[in-house]
Amino acid sequence: MAESTIRLNVTRYRPELDRVPRTQSYDIPYREDWVVLDALNHIKDQIDGTLSYRWSCRMGVCGSCGMMVNGVPKLTCASFLRDYYPREIQVEPLVNFPIIRDLVIDMSDFMDKLKSVKPWIIRKEEKPVSQGEYRQTPAELDTYKQFTQCINCMLCYAACPVYGLEPEFLGPAAIALGYRYNMDSRDQGRDQRQGILMSHDAIWQCTFVGECSLVCPKDVDPAAAIQRTKVDTTKEWFQSLLLPWGQK
Amino acid sequence: MSAVQPDKSKLYHRQVPATWWLKKSTYFLFMLRELSSLFIALFLVLYLVQLYQLTDGPQAYVAFAHKLSSPGWLLFHLVVLLFALYHSFTWFQSTAVILVLRIGDRVIPREIVTALNIGAWGLISLVILVLFLALKG
């Protein structure tokens, strides 16, 4: 019996050869337990070694294999061929980012934005190790735990039409991570992040399309983080207006 | 140590097509939500014009109200009503995303927060309608 196959239509862009990206089709064996990343690895290993793409852990943790699969931002290590078979699968680099080569996008804009929100715990004064750890109750952990799950896969940026249209927008993941550290009871760096988060190019650019939360493979819900930051900053602004003497 | 930067001159930049909002149902519904504000604004302008007629006396107001009972205006109001309902529904959905309500340690699911909001909205609307009909009668 002839082996079942499935066709992958993959974006190719080799700047030394191509002026614009093009699509190349590959017919590969269909395996029910293969994910799209397995299919790309098969192409790379058996058919065309020139294909370039990023991947690492193959288990939905590293966040490096994000691509557009039939027009939807997905982790290719978590997208099973059986969910598409027998239809053809279109694999493209994440939209809203420049293409470096084939399926590899330039993520430097995201990395700069991520760094700008200082996604780490800031203390006004570090206590010595001898005084022990910074303790936290389960309820305090619960306020931000969901937002710690972000793996920086950038699917939310590919899903966000605001980022596509207004590239200066700080974007879903960076704001969600800023919110995550602002909500952490051990952190004291809120004042350092607020300037970025409250700026014109951050929370107020978001029109709450909500697609970022829908595509997030880790259920981080960046849209909720952005809207809650809007409410928090608005409350703070009113408080500073009505109770200026109540400022910290 | 600084990260290796790609050659910017060789990057390929894709443009967002003007029809991006037609590519996914969620994008389309978002645009409908945004568009609903326009219809609600148009209704409010019309309502202000209607109120302004009172400055010319009750007869001018009644005459204007009569004009609004034509099929075209009725259709306009029906469209506005549908958009207003959709806008309100999405508003309550959004509220549930922002509001984190708890009973003890447990977070109340968003669907319940939305349903409670919509229930309260329906109840208040019903009270207003009953009061309106009672006062009119």
Side-chain angles (χ1 to χ4, degrees):
Chain A
M1 201 175 82
E3 190 179 44
S4 300
T5 60
I6 186 166
R7 173 165 290 189
L8 262 71
N9 300 313
V10 182
T11 299
R12 301 301 310 268
Y13 173 64
R14 286 176 288 175
E16 69 278 12
L17 296 173
D18 305 314
R19 200 173 56 80
V20 294
R22 60 193 171 81
T23 301
Q24 190 163 349
S25 297
Y26 301 95
D27 290 315
I28 58 142
Y30 169 68
R31 305 265 190 277
E32 204 174 50
D33 58 349
W34 271 11
V35 290
V36 172
L37 182 59
D38 291 323
L40 292 173
N41 284 340
H42 177 84
I43 294 168
K44 176 93 175 168
D45 295 342
Q46 307 293 331
I47 305 173
D48 185 350
T50 66
L51 182 65
S52 298
Y53 53 98
R54 287 193 181 103
W55 71 287
S56 182
C57 76
R58 204 189 165 279
M59 52 196 284
V61 173
C62 73
S64 51
C65 70
M67 296 169 210
M68 305 300 292
V69 180
N70 280 3
V72 180
K74 295 263 189 191
L75 291 181
T76 51
C77 68
S79 305
F80 281 89
L81 298 184
R82 60 174 179 257
D83 293 332
Y84 302 92
Y85 184 80
R87 287 174 294 140
E88 297 180 4
I89 301 176
Q90 185 87 25
V91 186
E92 300 163 276
L94 286 179
V95 295
N96 300 337
F97 291 96
I99 307 173
I100 296 176
R101 186 180 190 86
D102 295 339
L103 299 165
V104 180
I105 49 106
D106 176 23
M107 60 170 81
S108 45
D109 181 55
F110 169 69
M111 297 308 287
D112 291 341
K113 284 172 175 166
L114 185 62
K115 206 161 60 176
S116 74
V117 299
K118 302 188 177 182
W120 53 81
I121 286 179
I122 298 170
R123 298 288 301 179
K124 285 177 181 157
E125 203 174 328
E126 289 284 350
K127 65 180 184 184
V129 177
S130 58
Q131 287 185 21
E133 63 278 345
Y134 296 103
R135 293 199 166 186
Q136 199 164 52
T137 66
E140 286 170 333
L141 172 68
D142 202 36
T143 59
Y144 69 88
K145 191 179 175 188
Q146 174 186 17
F147 305 102
T148 66
Q149 304 299 310
C150 178
I151 55 172
N152 304 335
C153 63
M154 295 169 286
L155 299 195
C156 54
Y157 281 74
C160 177
V162 178
Y163 181 64
L165 294 163
E166 310 282 348
E168 64 276 14
F169 176 42
L170 187 57
I175 298 176
L177 281 164
Y179 178 77
R180 172 253 178 276
Y181 283 94
N182 278 349
M183 295 301 289
D184 193 322
S185 61
R186 300 165 297 177
D187 181 80
Q188 297 173 328
R190 185 184 180 87
D191 293 344
Q192 294 184 40
R193 293 188 198 97
Q194 286 305 81
I196 295 288
L197 293 176
M198 289 171 69
S199 67
H200 177 262
D201 294 332
I203 53 173
W204 303 112
Q205 282 269 19
C206 171
T207 51
F208 198 1
V209 179
E211 192 69 10
C212 54
S213 296
L214 293 179
V215 302
C216 179
K218 295 293 177 184
D219 297 324
V220 169
D221 203 353
I226 298 173
Q227 311 322 311
R228 287 175 200 167
T229 307
K230 283 180 187 173
V231 172
D232 289 346
T233 52
T234 305
K235 278 198 302 203
E236 281 169 20
W237 183 80
F238 269 109
Q239 276 171 1
S240 68
L241 193 71
L242 299 172
L243 304 165
W245 56 87
Q247 291 294 296
K248 291 171 276 184
Chain B
M1 193 180 80
S2 62
V4 176
Q5 295 293 318
D7 183 347
K8 300 280 181 192
S9 66
K10 291 182 177 171
L11 296 177
Y12 185 81
H13 294 264
R14 291 163 288 179
Q15 299 298 316
V16 178
T19 55
W20 64 267
W21 53 280
L22 293 172
K23 290 191 183 295
K24 276 186 189 170
S25 59
T26 44
Y27 291 162
F28 182 72
L29 290 172
F30 159 74
M31 287 301 268
L32 275 188
R33 190 186 82 198
E34 298 297 279
L35 189 66
S36 64
S37 306
L38 177 70
F39 281 91
I40 292 166
L42 286 174
F43 169 76
L44 288 173
V45 169
L46 187 68
Y47 190 57
L48 287 173
V49 170
Q50 190 175 353
L51 283 179
Y52 184 73
Q53 302 303 310
L54 284 172
T55 60
D56 290 337
Q59 285 166 339
Y61 179 84
V62 171
F64 190 81
H66 184 71
K67 268 188 209 167
L68 293 183
S69 63
S70 67
W73 281 117
L74 285 177
L75 182 66
F76 168 77
H77 281 91
L78 180 67
V79 171
V80 170
L81 176 66
L82 291 175
F83 271 113
L85 287 172
Y86 182 63
H87 189 97
S88 306
F89 181 71
T90 56
W91 171 262
F92 291 127
Q93 275 186 321
S94 306
T95 306
V97 172
I98 298 162
L99 266 183
V100 182
L101 298 178
R102 295 171 194 273
I103 297 177
D105 289 342
R106 295 186 64 181
V107 175
I108 302 175
R110 286 179 184 175
E111 294 75 17
I112 293 179
V113 177
T114 305
L116 287 173
N117 271 305
I118 290 174
W121 173 48
L123 191 68
I124 292 167
S125 301
L126 191 67
V127 169
I128 292 171
L129 185 67
V130 169
L131 282 175
F132 172 75
L133 291 173
L135 290 172
K136 200 181 172 193

